Amino acid sequence: DEKYEPAGKEFLLAAEGDAMNLLRAGMAFNNGKKVDDADAALNKFIAIAGLPDQYKKMAEDEKKRGQLIKAGK
């Protein structure tokens, strides 16, 4: 699980050039059980104006997955 945290941080740095990396960071942080970091990245992603609804849905679904991880399910 610890291998995912560095990946999440790398995606955050790369997000300046590609907003999709915020979504990838959220996924990586969730995989590493860093749900609060995942939520922060996913919230930034969702707040971006003009994103297609399907991308926002992916982020919302990932946030739900994070809550399940946090609850230990």
Side-chain angles (χ1 to χ4, degrees), residues 49-66:
L51 283 178
D53 289 340
Q54 66 192 32
Y55 292 168
K56 289 189 180 198
K57 183 181 181 326
M58 289 171 61
E60 291 291 346
D61 289 346
E62 189 63 24
K63 283 175 60 90
K64 289 176 190 170
R65 187 174 79 91

Side-chain angles (χ1 to χ4, degrees), residues 3-60:
K3 65 183 176 188
Y4 291 105
E5 185 176 0
K9 290 179 180 179
E10 289 293 321
F11 283 127
L12 284 179
L13 290 174
E16 292 181 26
D18 181 358
M20 288 300 292
N21 284 322
L22 285 170
L23 179 59
R24 293 180 188 104
M27 292 175 175
F29 282 132
N30 271 342
N31 288 339
K33 300 194 178 16
K34 300 286 186 183
V35 176
D36 292 335
D37 291 334
D39 276 349
L42 294 167
N43 286 336
K44 283 183 186 178
F45 180 78
I46 291 167
I48 296 171
L51 283 178
D53 289 340
Q54 66 192 32
Y55 292 168
K56 289 189 180 198
K57 183 181 181 326
M58 289 171 61
E60 291 291 346

